[in-house]
Amino acid sequence: MAKNRTSKATILFIFISFIAFCAFVIVPVFAPLPSIQSRHHHHHSHPKNVHRKFEIADDMFWKAGEPFRIIGGDLHYFRVHPEYWEDRLLKAKALGLNTIQTYVPWNLHEPTPGKLVFEGFANIESFLNLCHKLDLLVMLRPGPYICAEWDWGGFPSWLSSMNPSPKLRSSDPAFLNLVERWWGKLLPKFVPLLYDNGGPIIMVQVENEYGSYGDDKAYLQSLITLARSHLGHNAILYTTDGGSRENLEKGTIRGDTVFSAVDFTTGDDPWPIFKLQKEFNAPGKSPPLSAEFYTGWLTHWGEKNAKTDADSTAAALEEILKKNGSAVLYMAHGGSNFGFYNGANTGADEADYKPDLTSYDYDAPITEAGDVDNSKFNAIRRVIARYSSVPLPSIPSDNEKATYGPIHLQRQYSLFDFTNSSNAFESKNPMSMENVGQFFGFLLYVTEYEARRGRRILSIPKVHDRAQVFISCSSEGRGARPTYVGTVERWLNKKLSLPEFQCHSNINLYILVENMGRVNYGPFIFDKKGILSSVYLDRNRVQGWRMFPIPLHNLNEVPNYNPITQATYSAFSEISTSRKMLMNKSENTSKEPAFYSGHFFIERSSRIKDTFLSFNNWGKGIVFVNDFNLGRYWPLKGPQCSLYVPAPVLKHGDNILVLLELESPDPKLLVHTVDEPDFTCGINGMNIHRM
């Protein structure tokens, strides 16, 4: 049995809180956004019109009694800073779109069991009302599974800590009960926002590409019944599956129970696929719809940056539109995987693990930073303009970018400074991250072994996802700094040779494991994190472990600011100052994971613009700006070198930057602000991957 020793507060939270406090004013990027709600306050106030109806008949969509073609695009509210929702939607409208499609990630809205969040990045009602204000229709995709290159396909990570674990995406009663509880809170919010009730929502998707995963018809039917119990029988429900007979047979239900839409590779001849689509819909109920028309593609760490040709993409779209087909661009605007929410894919087996970048630019016509002055936006817009029933709005200008010079950082604390017993879990064998309640980020495993002559061989058969290994002499107490000996990675699992260590007592073994994002697609989607096997030294099982959670907050989470007095802040300031005086150059550039902080000043509000942080010459880590978790950087792997910083994260005056650098800090301890993205890092970064 594991024993949890809870702490009253952790030093780490205090450290990050102190750094932010020193900026004088905390940017409320995690708080509810009353400004958006006040500007777009339409909730529950849509006038119902008896003539207002969206329906399918004669193999066409009909809006208020008139034929209608969907020219839509995916734009995910949870990947865009809420203060930029209107900017991105206006640019989508200028592209020629009349419909926005978005997923709803369960894990963002219910990060812990029963704790429902609908504020900040999760304020979906404000987003939908804003679509309505801008005269954009909405196709809603509430899952419960969404894929989306999002952590675990949107499933809350706490599901994997349940015992027994529910069988995801199935008619397992335990799983359906959880979905019923979640949808029971979610779907009623959308009833006044349905098109027939005066709102923007024209269709609601059930599941997502289920035919690529399973064929449990009882599960699909249960979701349909549940959705109708909340949304009513007039709401149009739809499924989306790959455009093959096998996928459609498994992933949808024939007839008029749901509308079956398709997706397929951009450039494929769409019309044979639309003909196949008709077989799965009721007669007259099959308007041709590509629910995911791919404008680009995703990129994993270590890959070449994916790009697709603008003219070819636009020409493929025209093949659909010129015969009165409908299409939804995936993506119209990709945005960012802020925080720890990026997803991952696998190849032939679960060890062939490929985590997604922090950027979700997707080579979409509207870039990650919202720019539209590019060839793909213009090429797609020209095609849409030929088939749009209304003149297209003028094109907004790109948002201004700014640079704020180099940011000088100082090393503040080693990550190992937070290994005090007050917050440790103890167990005979290693525990998974989920079993200690550390659902994202990092978990530090600590044990010890007997010192003896010669090298030792360390083996961790199953680690998810990346483990850095360190050793130190326990007899030297807290003064001994751990020595880095190597890294074990899920996708390249190897044994480590531990060096002979001159030690008069047992040797401490530290294994820092990073959760790099849960698999969001495919057969290996059940993806627990941490050390998931025994650990072996010279083929002997190592037992007696302590697990130390590293409490870093995720996207849309308010940091745990315990009541800390000004005197406490001052005490930490004095500690930090004394530590700086003792630091030498070798400590600043060691491979020991450590926190670094710095600040930059914005002299006036008019100078607050979008920017990018360049991590050239840094190794791998996590970055916070004014307490906002921007996500991961890994220029050593590439191709992403810089992280996008939306202007609403910044503020007039001092802006605070905090890094957890895991491997190799820049020798000069500099982070540069730049005015454009950079995807040229790593071995493959200089070569763009053309799809």
Side-chain angles (χ1 to χ4, degrees):
M1 295 293 291
K3 179 168 62 175
N4 178 11
R5 301 175 178 174
T6 58
S7 62
K8 297 179 182 178
T10 68
I11 296 177
L12 180 53
F13 272 132
I14 297 173
F15 164 65
I16 294 179
S17 301
F18 163 66
I19 290 296
F21 178 84
C22 292
F24 302 112
V25 179
I26 304 298
V27 177
V29 293
F30 302 107
L33 297 161
S35 60
I36 290 179
Q37 290 176 313
S38 61
R39 288 201 306 268
H40 319 300
H41 185 68
H42 300 282
H43 182 49
H44 289 203
S45 62
H46 307 292
K48 188 167 182 178
N49 188 324
V50 293
H51 302 295
R52 184 181 172 91
K53 192 172 184 63
F54 192 89
E55 54 193 336
I56 298 174
D58 301 326
D59 287 335
M60 291 187 290
F61 296 111
W62 296 79
K63 174 175 168 281
E66 298 292 331
F68 183 77
R69 184 212 307 267
I70 293 173
I71 305 178
D74 266 79
L75 194 160
H76 302 155
Y77 62 95
F78 46 91
R79 284 187 160 118
V80 179
H81 194 287
E83 292 294 333
Y84 272 159
W85 285 345
E86 183 163 1
D87 174 81
R88 305 306 195 256
L89 289 171
L90 286 171
K91 288 169 177 172
K93 193 164 184 176
L95 182 61
L97 306 188
N98 56 33
T99 304
I100 296 298
Q101 184 170 247
T102 186
Y103 287 117
V104 181
W106 184 358
N107 52 9
L108 181 70
H109 291 281
E110 193 175 7
T112 56
K115 178 188 176 183
L116 297 175
V117 179
F118 291 99
E119 293 115 15
F121 276 76
N123 195 339
I124 185 172
E125 289 170 281
S126 283
F127 178 79
L128 297 175
N129 280 310
L130 184 53
C131 290
H132 187 59
K133 173 197 169 188
L134 299 177
D135 198 25
L136 287 163
L137 301 176
V138 173
M139 295 168 62
L140 197 65
R141 312 172 94 179
Y145 164 78
I146 66 170
C147 186
E149 288 74 63
W150 191 255
D151 187 84
W152 211 14
F155 287 127
S157 51
W158 49 264
L159 290 178
S160 63
S161 66
M162 299 178 67
N163 189 16
S165 297
K167 186 179 179 183
L168 306 180
R169 307 183 74 183
S170 78
S171 54
D172 171 21
F175 176 64
L176 287 177
N177 286 339
L178 291 164
V179 174
E180 184 173 357
R181 188 186 71 184
W182 160 232
W183 273 12
K185 299 293 185 181
L186 178 70
L187 296 187
K189 294 178 178 294
F190 303 141
V191 172
L193 296 167
L194 295 173
Y195 184 84
D196 291 9
N197 294 337
I201 300 173
I202 55 173
M203 296 197 292
V204 178
Q205 183 174 287
V206 174
E207 244 280 344
N208 188 71
E209 296 183 322
Y210 185 65
S212 300
Y213 178 82
D215 59 357
D216 186 343
K217 297 295 186 182
Y219 166 55
L220 289 178
Q221 190 60 61
S222 295
L223 293 183
I224 292 166
T225 301
L226 180 58
R228 294 226 176 273
S229 72
H230 293 291
L231 302 176
H233 289 279
N234 291 328
I236 299 176
L237 304 181
Y238 70 109
T239 59
T240 300
D241 287 286
S244 72
R245 183 173 300 278
E246 179 184 6
N247 286 336
L248 286 163
E249 289 285 8
K250 295 193 299 183
T252 192
I253 295 176
R254 287 177 179 267
D256 60 0
T257 304
V258 292
F259 167 60
S260 302
V262 292
D263 58 37
F264 43 86
T265 302
T266 300
D268 286 355
D269 184 351
W271 292 99
I273 299 172
F274 291 145
K275 182 179 179 181
L276 175 66
Q277 176 194 1
K278 292 186 72 169
E279 294 184 27
F280 291 84
N281 287 307
K285 299 284 189 176
S286 193
L289 172 64
S290 171
E292 291 189 8
F293 174 87
Y294 301 109
T295 60
W297 201 247
L298 61 105
T299 305
H300 304 114
W301 290 109
E303 294 179 349
K304 301 170 186 177
N305 191 31
K307 291 280 186 180
T308 59
D309 180 73
D311 291 335
S312 298
T313 302
L317 177 62
E318 186 158 26
E319 285 298 311
I320 296 173
L321 300 185
K322 72 182 183 182
K323 295 183 181 178
N324 292 321
S326 292
V328 181
L329 309 184
Y330 192 99
M331 300 287 296
H333 169 58
S336 307
N337 292 320
F338 293 124
F340 297 117
Y341 276 119
N342 67 274
N345 293 99
T346 53
D349 54 48
E350 64 176 328
D352 187 11
Y353 172 80
K354 304 169 185 178
D356 297 322
L357 301 183
T358 300
S359 170
Y360 197 63
D361 179 83
Y362 213 83
D363 195 30
I366 305 171
T367 71
E368 179 180 17
D371 292 344
V372 295
D373 186 10
N374 62 76
S375 60
K376 186 169 286 184
F377 184 95
N378 292 327
I380 291 175
R381 187 176 191 271
R382 282 193 298 269
V383 168
I384 292 176
R386 289 198 281 269
Y387 300 96
S388 176
S389 60
V390 296
L392 303 193
S394 59
I395 303 174
S397 58
D398 291 347
N399 294 336
E400 290 185 55
K401 313 296 186 299
T403 62
Y404 304 103
I407 305 170
H408 297 262
L409 277 70
Q410 290 181 306
R411 189 180 189 274
Q412 298 289 356
Y413 293 99
S414 163
L415 181 138
F416 298 112
D417 290 340
F418 304 105
T419 57
N420 64 79
S421 59
S422 63
N423 67 334
F425 289 78
E426 296 179 355
S427 179
K428 182 178 179 180
N429 295 307
M431 300 172 65
S432 72
M433 286 186 171
E434 290 81 1
N435 285 348
V436 302
Q438 182 69 35
F439 296 116
F440 295 95
F442 303 85
L443 185 63
L444 180 63
Y445 295 80
V446 181
T447 189
E448 58 182 38
Y449 62 93
E450 182 183 357
R452 71 183 191 198
R453 294 181 63 85
R455 288 181 168 268
R456 311 289 294 275
I457 301 300
L458 175 72
S459 173
I460 313 174
K462 191 171 184 179
V463 60
H464 288 189
D465 299 303
R466 191 171 186 270
Q468 293 169 261
V469 180
F470 305 81
I471 56 176
S472 71
C473 277
S474 58
S475 60
E476 296 180 23
R478 302 271 311 165
R481 307 311 300 174
T483 299
Y484 172 75
V485 294
T487 299
V488 179
E489 295 167 323
R490 172 176 177 174
W491 55 93
L492 191 64
N493 195 301
K494 63 181 181 180
K495 297 178 181 179
L496 285 184
S497 177
L498 305 185
E500 182 176 344
F501 217 55
Q502 299 299 321
C503 200
H504 301 296
S505 62
N506 286 345
I507 297 174
N508 291 324
L509 174 64
Y510 304 86
I511 304 176
L512 178 64
V513 178
E514 180 183 3
N515 165 4
M516 291 191 62
R518 290 177 181 83
V519 173
N520 59 264
Y521 179 82
F524 307 110
I525 193 172
F526 196 81
D527 188 20
K528 279 198 169 188
K529 297 300 184 180
I531 296 178
L532 306 178
S533 66
S534 294
V535 176
Y536 297 91
L537 266 180
D538 299 331
R539 300 184 180 180
N540 296 314
R541 184 180 287 118
V542 181
Q543 295 184 324
W545 292 86
R546 288 178 295 158
M547 279 67 62
F548 296 88
I550 309 298
L552 301 172
H553 58 271
N554 205 350
L555 174 69
N556 214 48
E557 291 180 350
V558 179
N560 185 16
Y561 293 111
N562 292 318
I564 303 170
T565 64
Q566 179 66 50
T568 306
Y569 283 117
S570 298
F572 271 92
S573 179
E574 292 168 9
I575 293 171
S576 179
T577 301
S578 64
R579 285 181 55 83
K580 291 172 193 171
M581 294 174 62
L582 293 172
M583 284 178 190
N584 54 46
K585 187 173 181 180
S586 63
E587 186 176 12
N588 267 338
T589 58
S590 72
K591 289 184 76 74
E592 182 180 332
F595 290 91
Y596 298 79
S597 69
H599 67 99
F600 58 100
F601 192 83
I602 301 179
E603 64 274 13
R604 56 185 183 274
S605 297
S606 60
R607 279 277 294 151
I608 300 174
K609 309 292 183 185
D610 288 355
T611 192
F612 296 85
L613 296 177
S614 173
F615 290 95
N616 278 301
N617 299 321
W618 288 81
K620 186 182 196 302
I622 306 293
V623 58
F624 298 83
V625 176
N626 295 331
D627 250 340
F628 182 91
N629 188 338
L630 278 184
R632 309 173 205 270
Y633 63 89
W634 198 6
L636 287 175
K637 193 78 168 178
Q640 186 174 2
C641 316
S642 58
L643 266 63
Y644 169 58
V645 185
V649 170
L650 305 177
K651 61 187 176 66
H652 171 232
D654 249 345
N655 291 264
I656 303 301
L657 179 68
V658 176
L659 271 61
L660 170 57
E661 169 58 51
L662 299 170
E663 292 189 355
S664 53
D666 172 36
K668 296 180 180 179
L669 297 186
L670 291 177
V671 170
H672 293 271
T673 56
V674 295
D675 59 5
E676 60 183 5
D678 184 359
F679 291 92
T680 62
C681 282
I683 298 172
N684 295 315
M686 293 300 292
N687 301 307
I688 293 174
H689 185 193
R690 294 282 176 185
M691 302 299 291

